[in-house]
Amino acid sequence: MRANALISQSSLQHNLSVVQKKSTKAKIVAIIKANGYGHQLDLITPLIKHCDMLGVSTLTEAVQLRKKTHNPILLLSGVYSSAELKLAITLKCHIVIHNTEQIKLINCSQQMVNIWIKIDTGMHRLGLSTEQYYQSLEKLQNNPQVNIICIMSHFSCADEVDNPINNTQLNAFNAITDNTIARSMANSAAILSQKNALFDFVRPGIMLYGVSPFGKVDTKLKPVMKFSAPIISIKTIQAGESVGYGATWTSSKKTKIAIIAVGYGDGYPRGAKNGTPVLIKNVLCPLVGRVSMDFICVDISTIKVKIGEMVVLWGSAQLRVETIAEYSNTIAYTLLTGISNRVNFSKTI
Ligand SMILES: *Cc1c(COP(=O)(O)O)cnc(C)c1O
């Protein structure tokens, strides 16, 4: 009896349709880096089948993905050697170029290569500066081996809808680019909140998995991953007795405790506070004591339940991963990508 994750195909399809409705004119690059945000490449077929392109971070991820699809793959981190460049071309990747070293590599390419040029509009992580972009564009355009597909940039604060940095970045992008080359700027948060940032390609990630980029639950999106685990022991403790490592929680009255077979070794966050909800027989019950590697403990005084009952840790209508992220002082992205390979995955309609 162990933790498992069920991946819903119809919820993926539904969330994809939300993206389509928000950005009717743009093509969709489904971002499926980090093993489909932890959902497993094998189980996210609707995304792999029904999107215009698929985005991954690393070349290793592109190698894995190429076994499953003929769709174009956008390689977000780009390549770092001529060997990597060759492999990326063999895999039919569109390669993101974000620094001048990569421009040198590309300009020496012996084979036709599709590139996306990433410019830095204010995030100051990846991307060419405006000067670097202007200095290199003409040479790339005149290189017969280079096919420039798109100019892209990335928001630093799109999850804060009213942050003025969003407009600053969008204005910078519009000032540097025009509609002679396709453009791409929007991640999930921008797709949901910045109508003027949709351009020609949108790059949804987290929203495809049914999770709001804004931290608060968005009921238009349907959770794709349902993370569950069984109750493997039940006991009653007396007032004044504590539970778990460090004895960080002590009961004030006689309390019935369920021990559930999930812990940080499975990807349940160790930072989850006392009171973090766990859904048992449709009742939200509070976590008590520290999360350990293999187990969590939950106060089930208010319900009748037996050993073997499966409980929901996140991913149902009543208990979404955004809530667990909030109780654990983190973001849903880390929880989804943090599920370990001890967890058994399967798919459902
Ligand atoms: C990860 C990533 C995205 C997707 O971001 P979400 O917030 O998950 O929608 C889009 N663009 C780039 C460049 C990324 O690295």
Side-chain angles (χ1 to χ4, degrees), residues 31 33 37 76 118 125 152-154 186-189 203-207 213 333:
I31 304 298
K33 59 196 180 191
Y37 286 48
L76 292 167
K118 186 168 191 173
R125 193 181 57 176
M152 67 182 284
S153 190
H154 196 51
N187 58 0
S188 298
R203 309 191 305 266
I206 196 80
M207 69 182 292
Y333 296 72

Side-chain angles (χ1 to χ4, degrees), residues 61-106:
E61 291 175 330
V63 171
Q64 304 265 308
L65 180 59
R66 183 46 81 217
K67 295 175 190 152
K68 303 176 198 309
T69 178
H70 297 294
N71 271 0
I73 297 172
L74 180 61
L75 184 56
L76 292 167
S77 304
V79 290
Y80 298 91
S81 67
S82 49
E84 287 197 1
L85 173 61
K86 264 195 188 146
L87 178 55
I89 293 172
T90 309
L91 294 168
K92 297 195 166 60
C93 289
H94 290 207
I95 305 172
V96 172
I97 303 301
H98 58 76
N99 68 31
T100 51
E101 294 301 309
Q102 292 178 325
I103 293 175
K104 281 184 210 149
L105 266 178
I106 292 293

Side-chain angles (χ1 to χ4, degrees), residues 116-130:
W116 289 43
I117 303 176
K118 186 168 191 173
I119 53 180
D120 182 5
T121 51
M123 177 145 175
H124 301 131
R125 193 181 57 176
L126 301 186
L128 303 177
S129 69
T130 310

Side-chain angles (χ1 to χ4, degrees), residues 119-122 130 134 167-177:
I119 53 180
D120 182 5
T121 51
T130 310
Y134 286 137
N167 263 331
T168 309
Q169 284 195 256
L170 189 56
N171 291 341
F173 192 63
N174 277 315
I176 302 164
T177 63

